[in-house]
Amino acid sequence: MGHHSIHSTVCAALLSLIAVDALGAPASLKAAYGFAIGAAMNSPQISQGEKALLLAQFTNLTPENCMKPKALQPTEAKFTFETSDALVSFAQQNGLKVNAHTLLWHEACPDWFFQDGGHPASRELALKRMRNHIQTVVTHFRGKVTSWDVVNEAISQTPGEYLRKTKWMSCIGEDFIAEAFRAAREADPAAELYYNDYSIEYREQREKTLRLIRYLKARNVPLDGIGIQGHWQLDQVPLTSIEEAIIAFHAEGLKVMITELDLDVVPRKITGANAGHKESAGADRYPNGLPPEMLRRQAEQYRALFELFRKHSDKISRVTFWGLHDGASWLNHWPYKRTNYPLLWGRDLQPKPALQAVLAVPPSRSLDLLPKN
Ligand code: G3I
């Protein structure tokens, strides 16, 4: 090895130690911001390349599907923990925190919760099943997960309507939310408990969320934070609304997180993330890659988002991406099958211009040097 190559090896090692690249930008997402950085994952069975990417760049993971009621209790009293146990031990072995998702949702929830021999279950029966699900699941993962999305997407997307009309609502009523949070706290006093939803940054949805927060707080219901999902679309990122929502939820004394971030680049008709919505298959516009001009626009818009997150990093505790790389995104399947490019790494695991843009957002020193817990 000549002097030159020894020199460059030493330099490379030093650079990786202080985690900045030659231009002074941080070399990893997790080193770049004061908040935790997460990725959604379906199972610990990932390639070596995916694992290297995950461990180099992320601090947290969210189980994308395996902790939903349909996965954990497909049949009453038959709990299936295999996949989620494997994912949690993978996280523990690799020093990643787990943000568990989700105890109650109207999707991915088997119908037996709401049935009683061909009739709708009574309030008492549905409550009993709900509490039993939460008690069993939260106890099972106690000490192994950092947080729970206790209730997901309970707020109505219909103008003028407060809570979504779901079977949880029709069987139990409005207090199913408070009861769920109480049951979760009882089963694991140390886990943080969150309400998680999409489009709650927009004014009307934000007001409904504030109404829910205040209702819960007035009844001493244990609520620690709000997850703004963040399934946004190219050229339609509602930056002003997002900023107003971060400020408003934080002002209620809650942690604020972006929990399911992606930036869809293939046109779809619907905003938000209604998992039950389907669209008739459009053409697969970009099967062989995204045009450079769109990669650039996506990078610009990710940059604007992270400038905002940087500005409010005293209020944001975590930003989680809904998938590790483009090939792993749900947006390849929803609301119709298409080749999508919503994340910071490509399906070849190479960084996209959007990653460079996010890493290049300069630190706002006055805020970022303050200690964080
Ligand atoms: O696992 C089965 C597979 O066995 C089967 O062959 C295949 C056929 O369709 O379906 C597979 O299940 C799919 C599952 O994802 C796993 O890939 C379901 O059909 C599909 O509906 C399910 O979609 C998930 C969706 O939630 C509904 O649960 C997405 O992956 C997941 O990204 C999405 O995540 C939600 C969040 O939980 C809440 N916020 C919105 C977000 C996007 O909808």
Side-chain angles (χ1 to χ4, degrees):
M1 202 184 263
H3 270 108
H4 181 71
S5 63
I6 291 174
H7 178 78
S8 49
T9 309
V10 171
C11 277
L14 281 176
L15 281 175
S16 69
L17 268 182
I18 54 174
V20 295
D21 71 12
L23 296 172
S28 77
L29 210 47
K30 68 179 177 184
Y33 289 87
F35 39 75
I37 300 280
M41 281 180 62
N42 270 306
S43 101
Q45 262 122 41
I46 53 177
S47 71
Q48 284 304 316
E50 288 174 317
K51 186 176 172 186
L53 170 60
L54 178 70
L55 299 187
Q57 302 285 339
F58 297 84
T59 58
N60 287 45
L61 71 81
T62 299
E64 182 173 352
N65 286 299
C66 65
M67 290 192 186
K68 292 171 180 172
K70 186 175 154 191
L72 290 183
Q73 199 183 179
T75 313
E76 185 161 21
K78 296 225 176 0
F79 287 87
T80 44
F81 286 118
E82 289 76 12
T83 307
S84 41
D85 281 348
L87 194 58
V88 167
S89 50
F90 168 88
Q92 288 181 319
Q93 283 157 21
N94 293 291
L96 297 163
K97 291 185 175 166
V98 177
N99 302 107
H101 171 88
T102 172
L103 293 170
L104 294 193
W105 190 23
H106 57 282
E107 294 283 344
C109 182
D111 223 36
W112 65 256
F113 273 100
F114 314 107
Q115 290 294 322
D116 187 8
H119 300 284
S122 66
R123 170 177 158 89
E124 286 63 39
L125 182 59
L127 255 181
K128 191 173 131 220
R129 286 167 171 167
M130 184 196 91
R131 290 193 183 118
N132 183 55
H133 181 78
I134 293 177
Q135 211 264 332
T136 308
V137 168
V138 175
T139 303
H140 182 87
F141 293 107
R142 185 167 56 204
K144 298 176 180 165
V145 304
T146 303
S147 65
W148 273 102
D149 290 342
V150 178
V151 175
N152 193 50
E153 301 171 17
I155 287 168
S156 173
Q157 298 284 315
T158 307
E161 180 181 271
Y162 171 40
L163 295 177
R164 193 189 284 268
K165 291 197 170 98
T166 65
K167 289 186 179 166
W168 292 116
M169 277 286 280
S170 61
C171 283
I172 299 177
E174 187 169 331
D175 64 338
F176 88 88
I177 302 175
E179 291 305 317
F181 277 91
R182 291 195 175 109
R185 177 54 44 92
E186 203 178 306
D188 184 352
E192 297 205 340
L193 306 180
Y194 306 143
Y195 176 75
N196 190 54
D197 209 336
Y198 63 85
S199 297
I200 51 173
E201 61 277 15
Y202 296 104
R203 193 184 45 77
E204 186 180 344
Q205 299 298 101
R206 186 164 75 232
E207 294 303 327
K208 294 177 193 176
T209 310
L210 289 168
R211 174 173 165 188
L212 177 62
I213 292 169
R214 289 167 188 159
Y215 167 91
L216 295 174
K217 286 208 310 197
R219 285 160 186 76
N220 280 319
V221 174
L223 168 70
D224 299 306
I226 299 290
I228 300 169
Q229 291 184 7
H231 294 289
W232 291 305
Q233 290 172 269
L234 195 70
D235 301 331
Q236 299 175 41
V237 182
L239 286 172
T240 307
S241 298
I242 298 168
E243 178 164 35
E244 287 167 358
I246 292 169
I247 292 170
F249 299 152
H250 177 260
E252 296 294 313
L254 297 172
K255 291 201 172 182
V256 183
M257 292 141 284
I258 310 297
T259 51
E260 304 185 11
L261 181 56
D262 44 33
L263 196 40
D264 192 346
V265 291
V266 188
R268 65 183 201 230
K269 295 192 184 102
I270 192 181
T271 55
N274 179 359
H277 169 89
K278 296 269 179 289
E279 282 172 21
S280 54
D284 185 17
R285 275 193 200 209
Y286 309 109
N288 305 313
L290 197 62
E293 150 62 14
M294 289 189 69
L295 283 168
R296 191 194 58 72
R297 249 158 65 211
Q298 183 185 43
E300 262 310 292
Q301 292 171 34
Y302 260 119
R303 184 189 54 73
L305 262 176
F306 275 79
E307 273 174 4
L308 184 64
F309 299 159
R310 175 80 86 196
K311 178 174 168 196
H312 293 290
S313 64
D314 59 329
K315 306 177 188 66
I316 295 174
S317 57
R318 169 170 55 98
V319 173
T320 289
F321 291 82
W322 209 236
L324 195 54
H325 59 81
D326 287 343
S329 169
W330 74 299
L331 291 171
N332 291 296
H333 312 285
W334 179 92
Y336 63 93
K337 202 165 158 33
R338 61 221 169 111
T339 311
N340 218 324
Y341 307 83
L343 298 166
L344 302 186
W345 282 270
R347 25 182 64 65
D348 57 0
L349 306 186
Q350 292 307 304
K352 293 161 62 186
L355 175 70
Q356 303 312 332
V358 166
L359 291 179
V361 173
S364 48
R365 304 222 169 259
S366 56
L367 291 177
D368 281 355
L369 293 179
L370 293 173
K372 285 253 152 49
N373 53 18

